[in-house]
DNA sequence: CGGGCCCCTTACCACTTGGTAGGGAATCGC
DNA sequence: GCGATTCCCTACCAAGTGGTAAGGGGCCCG
């Protein structure tokens, strides 16, 4: 689903298939044989490119993390201060995970299966920019744009979790709501609304026309 | 962690251990042997009480679902209409999952591993009362208590997901925020705040003193 | 032409998996 | 006392697991 082309590079092809299968079935329930069959090679060809199943796991996760580490700074740099930018950043984040639900599923699975590893990554790679975002919120709070009782750090974590799980389990959640209009669009819209309404004060006196200008 | 007593009933003991292990390591990565060792019996004793590993899985899930089906109606019945009741219901839901993070983890894992099954349960067991809650929100919206642009169904789903994932991965998330004051309390408080702020209008003219009466 | 390297194969390995067969000990109703 | 039932054990099994060993075919560089 994530790749149409069979990929000329077999290593990348294996990584791709493994990512999909690990996300869908979990690490323990995905045998090297299954991955190999799906790719169209033998199990030993897989083991040729990745010295062990564990190495394959690491490689799969690294792909996600690298992608993340690449995209996040770019997105956050675009986040100056205004409410419009907030939408842009959150939208980017949402689209990142919505583009491939496997990303979120892998992250969630990993946080369950190997909490120690994930904690390390969180402490090292996530905390820095979480601090940055949190301090941005704190500034906006002191400036009176944000609700006074926001817990910036935890707010950001909760919104991120919401993005991840909403995209990761969207296909399942469809069964819970009445069928009809595009559910995915509703998920995204409502998520954005929740995030916005719980952060921004409801448009105080001054600062009315300033909001929701067109963005380039 | 969830059971201190070794449980005189071996079947219940097995169920308990299996629940914990399935939640922590996933179904595929938990062998019958491991469960048996943890319980202190042989693998065949486990297979005596549960005819197959799959049967054990079902039994574990049924315990969770039964608990859920038992608790939810009771909680929802207490939900008349006021904002105070909202806190009570959401708080109850939160405490239900916070009391044992394995519950949330199991549900999340199950939604990944067996989406078809979960969809069935959602459609049959969750949708009815989700409709009820949603229509309650819709009424409050028409009465002017709630934000006009709330998508009731999706709002409830998102809040539920937030509760589940926040409790399920709380221990991991601790690594992302600055250490110090009780993180769990912050998670709960901020989650409640987000849910409340994104649903209720910010205290219109009348109805001011009514909100946030003394809480213990 | 020939050696070396890369990519992948077949063949095989020790080990674990979920599950079966059958029997033994304790307990209960009679 | 005695059969039946419940509970759990030892012993075993076929199938599948991750991983190793060894080698073959294509290809580049000399």
């Amino acid at each position: 689903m994530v790749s149409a082309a069979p990929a000329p590079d077999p290593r990348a092809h294996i990584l791709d298939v493994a990512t999909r299968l690990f996300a869908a079935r979990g690490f323990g329930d995905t045998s090297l044989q299954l991955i190999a069959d799906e790719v169209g090679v033998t199990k030993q060809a897989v083991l040729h490119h990745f010295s062990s199943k564990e190495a394959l796991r690491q490689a799969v996760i690294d792909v996600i993390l690298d992608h993340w580490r690449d995209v996040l700074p770019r997105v956050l740099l675009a986040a100056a201060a205004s409410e419009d930018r907030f939408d842009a950043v959150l939208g980017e984040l949402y689209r990142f995970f919505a583009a491939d639900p496997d990303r979120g599923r892998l992250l969630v699975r990993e946080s369950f299966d190997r909490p120690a590893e994930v904690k390390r990554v969180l402490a090292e790679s996530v905390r820095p920019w979480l601090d940055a975002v949190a301090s941005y919120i704190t500034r906006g709070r002191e400036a009176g744009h944000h609700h006074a009782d926001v817990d910036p750090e935890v707010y950001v974590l909760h919104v991120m979790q919401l993005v991840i799980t909403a995209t990761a389990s969207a296909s399942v959640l469809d069964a819970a709501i009445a069928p009809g209009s595009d559910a995915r669009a509703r998920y995204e819209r409502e998520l954005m609304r929740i995030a916005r309404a719980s952060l921004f004060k409801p448009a105080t006196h001054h600062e009315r026309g300033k909001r929701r200008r067109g963005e380039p």
Side-chain angles (χ1 to χ4, degrees), chain A:
Chain A
M1 181 171 277
V2 76
S3 78
D9 178 7
R11 189 190 151 93
H13 192 188
I14 291 171
L15 262 180
D16 196 47
V17 169
T19 302
R20 209 182 57 229
L21 290 178
F22 285 165
R25 317 172 32 109
F27 183 73
D29 268 348
T30 305
S31 68
L32 291 178
Q33 190 66 60
L34 180 63
I35 297 172
D37 290 350
E38 205 94 350
V39 173
V41 296
T42 60
K43 182 182 66 171
Q44 289 69 18
V46 175
L47 275 158
H48 170 72
H49 292 284
F50 303 91
S51 58
S52 73
K53 194 187 179 185
E54 188 56 35
L56 178 54
R57 172 184 211 157
Q58 266 306 329
V60 164
I61 293 166
D62 284 348
V63 167
I64 303 269
L65 288 187
D66 287 349
H67 199 157
W68 215 18
R69 279 195 265 260
D70 181 44
V71 163
L72 260 180
R74 180 171 62 74
V75 164
L76 285 182
L77 281 183
S82 84
E83 192 164 342
D84 288 339
R85 296 298 175 108
F86 175 85
D87 281 16
V89 171
L90 187 51
E92 188 83 17
L93 193 67
Y94 188 92
R95 260 170 273 123
F96 177 86
F97 284 102
D100 184 1
D102 286 341
R103 290 176 183 154
R105 293 190 192 120
L106 256 175
L107 289 184
V108 172
R109 280 193 192 276
E110 199 65 7
S111 74
F112 290 168
D113 292 346
R114 309 189 3 177
E117 277 282 320
V118 172
K119 284 179 90 157
R120 202 177 48 75
V121 171
L122 282 178
E124 291 174 6
S125 303
V126 176
R127 192 136 127 204
W129 63 258
L130 187 146
D131 284 349
V133 175
S135 76
Y136 151 70
I137 290 180
T138 302
R139 283 198 305 276
R141 197 178 58 184
E142 287 161 357
H145 304 139
H146 302 158
H147 287 299
D149 49 357
V150 175
D151 184 334
E153 277 182 321
V154 181
Y155 167 82
V156 175
L157 278 185
H158 279 346
V159 170
M160 278 196 46
Q161 282 198 95
L162 205 42
V163 169
I164 292 175
T165 57
T167 53
S169 45
S171 59
V172 164
L173 289 185
D174 291 349
I177 67 175
S181 57
D182 185 2
R184 308 306 163 88
R186 286 174 64 193
Y187 296 156
E188 178 173 3
R189 201 182 322 125
E190 180 67 7
L191 190 154
M192 295 288 202
R193 194 197 63 77
I194 290 174
R196 227 182 290 121
S198 57
L199 177 60
F200 294 106
K201 278 188 180 173
T204 58
H205 40 294
H206 61 293
E207 210 188 29
R208 248 263 154 75
K210 193 173 160 207
R211 290 173 51 213
R212 305 216 57 76
R213 254 176 302 143
E215 80 135 34

